[in-house]
Amino acid sequence: MSNQRIVHVADLSVIETGLRTIRSDVDTVSGQVASVGEEITHTRNELAALEELFREFIAADAMNQELQLAETRQVKVRQELESKFGYYEQVRRTAVGILQAADLSMVRQDTITAATEELMLAAPRYWLAPALVALGAWLDDNQPLADKALAEALRRDDEKTTLFFALVTRRAGRHAACATWMQRYLGLQDPFSLDRQTVVLVDALAGGVFGADIHQAGTMAARDWIAELSQRAGFVEEQRTQWMAALLSKLPVMDNSERYPHLHRYSATWPRLDASLNGAALHGAVLEHFRAIFDGDLAPSAGTAAAVDALLDKLVRNFDDDELPLRRDERHCQLIIDERGNRQAAQARYHLEAAALDERITFTQLLTNAAMHPDTSHASRATQRYATALSAPWIGAAYADVAAAHRAAVPTDIGLQIEGWQGRTGAGENQAELLSSLAAHLDAQAARDRAAVKLDVKYWAALALGAVFVVAGLFNMLWLALGLGAGAVAWFYSGWSRLAGARQAIASTHAARKAQATAVLHGALTEASAWRREVAQRDLAGGALHAIQDDVAAPYFGPAAPPAPHRVVG
């Protein structure tokens, strides 16, 4: 009997040793589970960062492809322009050269005649070729040829030819002939449908190229055109819309995500925040544009001949309507290049500038193009001042509308989404409230995750069977039942230990997530405050625009009646 007890005790000690070993193994597994949980959190963060980098790479690659395509397309467009209209450039180079050669008497008349006749053969449809033949015949006192060539030039393009000879006769000091040509030119104009080249007339008026009588006639015609346009129904609304589009063409398109990375990533409001930053920057862009127009003195002309030569050069070098489709493509490609491959931004800018490349425009649209798009409309700074002065009331109304629209679009609240939590802030002023809300959300999430970790029914069944087997074995000295019962209990204990380890791993993971989410919220709230300050600071430029009204920039938002041109050009 004592031997049986010794064996029994020995057998139980073996079982206890086995249970201690299992416990040690379970503790080891629990530590490993916790380590795996931390690694999972780290891996998740790295994957999120990698995903963001991948998206940025895709966007950058798409922009790079657009940039390369635009550069390639631009080269092809310029080659096509050269192949189709290259001879136009040759004719243009000759125009002012003939006048300057006649001044210096350094070129024989036979040479001029031969050159103009050769250009006539090379440019069968271009209006300037017969105009140069007429000019050469005029210099040679060959009236029959001059009349014949002039009639052909007028047939090809009446308006440009008329303006060309108005400038030529002004350069030659033929005031009566200049007045006749200018009256003819003004009579041809329809303020509802002007050629883009009319900007040369505005240049001449703004620069004081013509004499007092012609200058007065041109100025009165401009005012009459505006009065005629003003009588059309919806004119005021049309001007406001037109100038709003022109002002919006100066809207900066900047990517602010690098300066506000937390808002960019964790706020669904970010597109509106980004748009508001750019919208507020419009004030400074418009202010800079008008200051560039009015600051400083205009470069004085070397004389009437030089001033007229500059206008003639602009008239003949400005591309003709035949070239417009290719010029539009060229401009579109250039905008994509300027925007570094951002096709959407380039398309928006092109849409706002498109009116400057229309074949026929209203007089007020011509003024808008001259004031806001001098590169495309080929307007001088004097013309920009003149056009701005004539358009002052509409600029003021349109600017007020644009500014009000952008200010109304500034979000009052900024939405934040972090780890499934959502909150709102104005400028980070409710930081304590949001931090408490985020902590409560994450704690509740951790509690739910811990509660979800529980033993299956099979473990509890094993515990119950194990208890039955152990009791039966102890009372009946059934070693097999006792061993089975101990094994079942040990299996239940190992599952329970793993459960505790899993819960500990969840607690560690959630602690790391909570620390990270709290840091993200701090960063987002700091950026929200900085964003609000930057928008307000940029918006101050809007007040600066109105503050300079009484200075040299009075034409920006001047009186309803347009001032006299001499007050604008000095």
Side-chain angles (χ1 to χ4, degrees), residues 127-140:
W127 68 272
L128 187 57
L132 292 183
V133 173
L135 178 60
W138 179 51
L139 294 174
D140 194 28

Side-chain angles (χ1 to χ4, degrees), residues 192 226-235:
F192 295 93
I226 293 177
E228 184 177 353
L229 290 169
S230 301
Q231 295 175 1
R232 184 173 56 181
F235 172 78

Side-chain angles (χ1 to χ4, degrees), residues 2-16 479:
S2 61
N3 292 334
Q4 291 179 350
R5 286 186 175 178
I6 292 173
V7 172
H8 182 201
V9 173
D11 290 341
L12 290 179
S13 64
V14 170
I15 293 174
E16 291 176 356
W479 311 118

